[in-house]
Structures are given as structure tokens and as C-alpha cells.
Amino acid sequence: AQSVSQHNHHVILSEAASLELGCNYSYGGTVNLFWYVQYPGQHLQLLLKYFSGDPLVKGIKGFEAEFIKSKFSFNLRKPSVQWSDTAEYFCAVNHNAGNMLTFGGGTRLMVKP
Amino acid sequence: GAVVSQHPSWVICKSGTSVKIECRSLDFQATTMFWYRQFPKQSLMLMATSNEGSKATYEQGVEKDKFLINHASLTLSTLTVTSAHPEDSSFYICSAAPLGRTNTEAFFGQGTRLTVV
């Protein structure tokens, strides 16, 4: 079965610091990749997605992610975080057309003002 | 964007009672919806795939008689937690993707926080 690993469970940064959250998956075939964010008390929101094409994907709120097929990775980055980026971030993968997602364990980000 | 609505947002029930959670796609149709469960400080775990007009597909370890799923129409799936116990307390989230669209992400409901006392 496929699995998704997020290496950082908790990250604490100061405002303006750069962010990189790791995500690796285990499935060897064609995959669709997603990053979702969950702000406190809110539902999941899509940050960005990769289906095909340019492996560097730009999402909302200044986030981007790079798909490196050889490393089975889809790391999330943001050059300069803000206090409002405090949230939990989930990497997710699906490898079928049914939109069933396998989620990573999540990374809780806290940005200090 | 597409909207998925869950109801209720939170519910408290007594141990032994049943609770029904609704998941509606408001502006699109979906033959398939997914039910996830999220424990505190943990990730989302897929419980089951809800299929319109047929039986749900449950993930390993999920009791189908405990978590009854009905997908009666292309816009509504329900999850009923039967004979709830405190260990069923959790955050339940549904998702759906628009019928007939390829390369689209799933849209999530706002979740239902169930507390069994």
C-alpha cells in the first residue's frame, strides 16, 4: 500500500524565515500530489496540486512545491512566512482516478510574530 | 470553487446512541465521496469510500456495521455512527470531487466534531 511521510511533525519559525516542509511517498506509478492547509478551527483548504507538466508548482499565498520524481518527493516551500501561516499542513497523494487520498501525518507550523 | 457542506459541525451524544452526519456537494454532483477520520494531533485516515447507488467500500479495520454509509443521491452521503462509544469521539471529514472532471482535486467539508459522553 502506498504511504506518505512528512518528516517534520512540528516546526517553529520566526516571521520572514524561509520554510520547507518535506513530503515523500512510496507509490511507484503515476501519482497526483497535493498540499492542504488546515487553519485552527477551519476545514482543509487546497494550497497547490501537481498532476503533470512543470514539476515546480505555484500555489496560493506564496507557497510552491517541487515534484522530484526520482526522489519520490513533493516538498512545500515558502520564501518568507507570516504569522498567519500558522496552521497544520498535510501532504496527500492519490494514484487513481477516484480522488481517494492518502495523507501524510501532517506538520504543525507555528510562526512567531 | 466547488463546495462541500457537512452537517452538523459538532455534536455531543450519549454513549449507546446513534449519530448521523451528512455530507452534501452543493454545486456539483459526485458518484463517489470519501469519509475520513482525524484523531487529535493526527492525520486524516480514510475510513470508507461512499458509492452512489451501491455499497460503500470500507478500509481495513473499519467496522461497516458501526459506521453505516448511505449514498442516496449524487449530492448526498451520510455516515451514521451506531451505538456510539467514547472511543468514537473524533473529527469526521468528508470529501468529494465533481463528476466527470479529470485532474481535479477533492473538496472537503468543514468536518464534524463528534463527542460521545
Side-chain angles (χ1 to χ4, degrees), chain B residues 6-74:
Chain B
Q6 270 183 252
H7 178 80
S9 297
W10 59 272
V11 58
I12 301 173
C13 71
K14 289 184 177 180
S15 188
T17 62
S18 296
V19 174
K20 180 186 284 188
I21 303 170
E22 293 186 346
C23 178
R24 293 181 184 273
S25 54
L26 297 186
D27 50 2
F28 65 94
Q29 294 180 326
T31 53
T32 305
M33 293 185 177
F34 301 93
W35 286 96
Y36 296 84
R37 184 172 180 178
Q38 185 180 25
F39 288 104
K41 300 183 179 181
Q42 295 187 32
S43 188
L44 286 79
M45 298 297 294
L46 180 67
M47 296 175 65
T49 303
S50 173
N51 303 300
E52 188 268 335
S54 64
K55 291 181 179 180
T57 305
Y58 291 82
E59 295 301 299
Q60 192 173 8
V62 178
E63 299 175 59
K64 61 181 181 181
D65 295 329
K66 174 122 184 112
F67 299 100
L68 299 179
I69 290 172
N70 185 290
H71 196 144
S73 76
L74 289 172

Side-chain angles (χ1 to χ4, degrees), chain A residues 28-53:
Chain A
T30 301
V31 293
N32 298 325
L33 301 155
F34 307 83
W35 275 98
Y36 285 89
V37 60
Q38 188 175 31
Y39 296 102
Q42 297 188 27
H43 61 105
L44 287 168
Q45 298 175 36
L46 181 70
L47 273 179
L48 47 79
K49 61 188 177 185
Y50 172 82
F51 291 113
S52 64

Side-chain angles (χ1 to χ4, degrees), chain A residues 7 23-27 66-75:
Chain A
H7 317 299
C23 173
N24 286 88
Y25 62 93
S26 64
Y27 187 69
E66 184 175 12
F67 171 50
I68 303 179
K69 189 174 182 179
S70 61
K71 295 184 178 180
F72 298 90
S73 70
F74 190 56
N75 291 355

Side-chain angles (χ1 to χ4, degrees), chain A residues 34-105:
Chain A
F34 307 83
W35 275 98
Y36 285 89
V37 60
Q38 188 175 31
Y39 296 102
Q42 297 188 27
H43 61 105
L44 287 168
Q45 298 175 36
L46 181 70
L47 273 179
L48 47 79
K49 61 188 177 185
Y50 172 82
F51 291 113
S52 64
D54 189 343
L56 183 61
V57 180
K58 294 195 182 298
I60 61 171
K61 305 186 181 186
F63 287 91
E64 65 178 31
E66 184 175 12
F67 171 50
I68 303 179
K69 189 174 182 179
S70 61
K71 295 184 178 180
F72 298 90
S73 70
F74 190 56
N75 291 355
L76 180 72
R77 299 194 292 251
K78 185 171 183 178
S80 175
V81 294
Q82 301 172 313
W83 175 79
S84 57
D85 293 323
T86 294
E88 187 149 20
Y89 293 81
F90 294 96
C91 179
V93 174
N94 81 28
H95 64 91
N96 58 37
N99 301 105
M100 182 187 76
L101 295 173
T102 300
F103 283 86

